Amino acid sequence: MGENRELAAAMAELNISQAELARRVNAETQRLTGREGSLTDRDIRRYLSGETTWPQHRQRLGLERVLGRPATELGFSPRSSRARQGHAEDRVHRRTFLAAATGSPVAALAPAPRPRLGQRDADRFHEQYLGLLRVDSRLGGGQRTEVSAVELATRIQSSLAGGGASDRIRRQLHRLASDVMCLAAFAAIDASAPQRARSHLDQALTLASLARDGEAMYRVWDQLMLTFSQRENHAEAAASAEVMKRSSLARREPLYASLGHLRHANALARLHQGAESLRALNLAEKAFGQAGVEQPSGWIAFYGRAEFDALSSYVWTALGEHERAEFCLHRTLAAIPADMVRDTALYTAHLSLSQARQGELELACDTGRRAYGMLLPSSGSQRTTNTLARTRHVIEATGTKASEVTSWIEESRRWT
C-alpha cells in the first residue's frame, strides 16, 4: 500500500508527533471505554506507511476525536468484503445442493427476513427531529426536549439494529441520530448541566463517525466547545475550536470557518490572551463576510448576522469591553426573529449584565425585568437565569440603595 498522506497532513496541521498522537488516542480510548489504550508510535508509523489501512474500531474513534475528521478523510479505507461475500455464496450453493438432493424444505428453516429500512423511514424520523428542533429554537425545550431527543435517538438506533438498510440509508440515519443527540446536549447546556451534555456528545461523536460525515463531527465539536466553556475549562474549549477551524469543512466553507474562529476568540479571551483573541475575531469577521448573504441551510442556519453579533458580544465582555458588548447585543436584538423567545430572553439578560457593569444600574434593572418577563423558569433555560443572577450580584456589589434597584433584586431572588 502507498503512504497515507492524508493522515500525515492532518498531523502536520496540528503539529502532532507520532508519539504524541499515540498518547492522545490512548487517552480518548480510556475516556470512551474506561480502559487505557495500547497504541504506540510504531502503530502510527504503520498507519502512515499504509501498512495498516483500516485501524481497529477503538483506535479509529480515537483518531477521529483527536484529529477531528472521519477515518475515511484520514486516508483509511474499510477492508474488502469480498471474502465475506464468497463465504456467503458458498453457504447459499451448499444449501441449494442439499435442498435439491433431499427435497427438504430448507427455506422454511431459514429465519424470517428483517424489515428493510428505506427513505420513507428516514424521512419519518427526520420530521420528528424537526418538530423537537422547532420547539427548542423558539422557546427552549429544557429537560422535556432533552428526554424526547434521547428517546428519538434510541428509536433510530433500534431500527438500525432490527432492520436491514442500504449503506446510504444507514449513514443517513447515523447522521440523524448524531444530530438528535447534539440537540439533547444543547438542551442540557441550556439547563446548565454540562456533565449530562458531555455524555450525550460522546454518543453523538460515535454516531457521526459511523455516518462518516464531516459536518456532523463539526457540530459535535462545536457543542463540546460550549460544554468545556460552561465548565470553565477554557483550554479544552480553545482546543475544540482549533479542531473546528482546521477541519476540512471549514477549509471549504467560509461560514464554518467563521464560527470556528469566533469560538476560538471566545476561549482565548477567557484565557486572557487578548491580542490572539482579537486576531481570531477579525478572522471570524472576514470569513463571515466571504460567506455571502444567502440564508444557509441545515444546522448552520442559526449562525446569521444576529448570532454573529451575539457571540461577538461574549468576546468583548470577556475582554472587559462592556460598551462594545452592549452595542453588539443591541444589534442582535434588533435583528433576531420575534418568535425566538428563548434567545431573545438570553441576549436581553446579557444586555442587562453589560449595562450593570458600566454602572447603568436603573437601566440594567429595567432590562433585566424585561428578560424575566419573556421566559418562564419551566422552559429550562437556566443560562438566562444565571446571567440575571450575575447582573444582580454586580448591582449588589455597588452598595446602591435605590428603590428601583433593590425592588428588582428582591424580585429576582425568586428565580435564582
Side-chain angles (χ1 to χ4, degrees):
M1 296 297 293
E3 179 184 356
N4 189 335
R5 296 182 180 180
E6 290 84 355
L7 177 60
M11 292 172 61
E13 284 183 7
L14 296 180
N15 195 24
I16 298 178
S17 67
Q18 295 174 11
E20 176 64 14
L21 179 58
R23 187 191 67 78
R24 293 194 188 184
V25 172
N26 287 336
E28 289 296 337
T29 300
Q30 185 172 27
R31 183 179 298 174
L32 285 168
T33 66
R35 293 183 297 177
E36 186 176 0
S38 57
L39 202 67
T40 66
D41 55 347
R42 185 177 179 182
D43 296 312
I44 302 300
R45 283 195 291 275
R46 288 197 184 101
Y47 298 162
L48 289 167
S49 67
E51 182 180 347
T52 299
T53 60
W54 191 243
Q56 294 180 356
H57 180 66
R58 287 184 299 176
Q59 282 79 14
R60 278 203 318 277
L61 288 181
L63 286 166
E64 290 172 341
R65 289 171 70 97
V66 172
L67 299 174
R69 304 180 194 176
T72 51
E73 292 187 13
L74 293 171
F76 298 111
S77 58
R79 297 183 181 91
S80 173
S81 60
R82 291 180 180 176
R84 293 194 300 272
Q85 291 174 352
H87 290 312
E89 289 171 1
D90 288 344
R91 288 195 298 271
V92 170
H93 290 315
R94 186 164 53 251
R95 189 165 63 243
T96 304
F97 172 78
L98 290 173
T102 64
S104 58
V106 176
L109 299 177
R114 298 185 299 173
R116 189 167 181 81
L117 298 171
Q119 189 61 51
R120 182 177 299 179
D121 301 290
D123 291 342
R124 173 169 52 85
F125 284 127
H126 191 255
E127 280 300 317
Q128 296 174 33
Y129 164 65
L130 291 179
L132 292 175
L133 199 61
R134 281 191 291 268
V135 173
D136 180 76
S137 63
R138 288 184 59 250
L139 303 173
Q143 190 171 4
R144 180 179 300 178
T145 293
E146 183 181 354
V147 171
S148 298
V150 171
E151 290 177 348
L152 176 57
T154 301
R155 291 201 306 273
I156 294 172
Q157 291 177 271
S158 296
S159 70
L160 283 167
S166 66
D167 181 65
R168 180 181 65 84
I169 294 297
R170 187 170 292 277
R171 290 178 59 184
Q172 187 175 341
L173 288 174
H174 277 133
R175 162 66 193 270
L176 180 59
S178 177
D179 286 343
V180 173
M181 290 306 298
C182 282
L183 177 59
F186 188 76
I189 291 170
D190 202 31
S192 294
Q195 190 169 354
R196 286 206 316 268
R198 179 58 192 272
S199 176
H200 298 326
L201 290 171
D202 284 343
Q203 186 175 354
L205 189 59
T206 301
L207 291 164
S209 300
L210 292 171
R212 308 193 295 278
D213 191 295
E215 184 177 11
M217 295 189 71
Y218 180 99
R219 181 178 182 181
V220 175
W221 281 107
D222 178 63
Q223 303 285 284
L224 280 169
M225 185 274 170
L226 297 179
T227 304
F228 288 130
S229 181
Q230 197 169 61
R231 300 181 73 170
E232 302 294 331
N233 189 347
H234 302 303
E236 291 291 339
S240 299
E242 280 278 2
V243 174
M244 292 169 61
K245 72 179 189 179
R246 293 179 183 275
S247 66
S248 57
L249 181 64
R251 291 197 298 271
R252 294 194 309 269
E253 301 289 344
L255 197 61
Y256 290 87
S258 174
L259 181 57
H261 285 301
L262 193 46
R263 296 294 197 203
H264 198 216
N266 198 348
L268 291 173
R270 283 160 174 74
L271 290 170
H272 308 292
Q273 299 179 27
E276 293 84 351
S277 176
L278 289 176
R279 277 198 294 271
L281 184 59
N282 287 334
L283 288 171
E285 177 79 49
K286 181 179 178 181
F288 189 86
Q290 293 172 348
V293 297
E294 293 183 5
Q295 178 67 22
S297 60
W299 164 77
I300 198 67
F302 83 96
Y303 186 53
R305 186 75 229 186
E307 188 71 13
F308 179 90
D309 286 327
L311 298 182
S312 299
S313 77
Y314 295 166
V315 178
W316 291 120
T317 296
L319 295 173
E321 298 282 351
H322 303 299
E323 186 175 351
R324 290 195 178 192
E326 181 182 3
F327 172 76
C328 290
L329 288 165
H330 278 300
R331 287 182 56 167
T332 294
L333 292 170
I336 198 169
D339 63 340
M340 296 185 67
V341 179
R342 188 265 311 280
D343 286 355
T344 302
L346 177 63
Y347 298 141
T348 302
H350 278 285
L351 176 61
S352 174
L353 180 59
S354 68
Q355 292 167 342
R357 284 172 170 163
Q358 294 176 74
E360 301 173 357
L361 304 184
E362 301 287 346
L363 182 58
C365 287
D366 181 63
T367 305
R369 186 178 288 107
R370 283 194 290 115
Y372 274 139
M374 293 176 191
L375 198 64
L376 295 174
S378 58
S379 70
S381 184
Q382 188 65 33
R383 290 187 301 163
T384 302
T385 307
N386 291 345
T387 302
L388 288 167
R390 291 199 295 273
T391 305
R392 191 189 73 205
H393 295 327
V394 171
I395 293 172
E396 286 179 328
T398 66
T400 183
K401 299 296 181 182
S403 59
E404 176 70 12
V405 173
T406 54
S407 65
W408 180 79
I409 290 174
E410 289 303 316
E411 178 185 344
S412 70
R413 291 187 195 280
R414 297 185 294 106
W415 296 75
T416 57

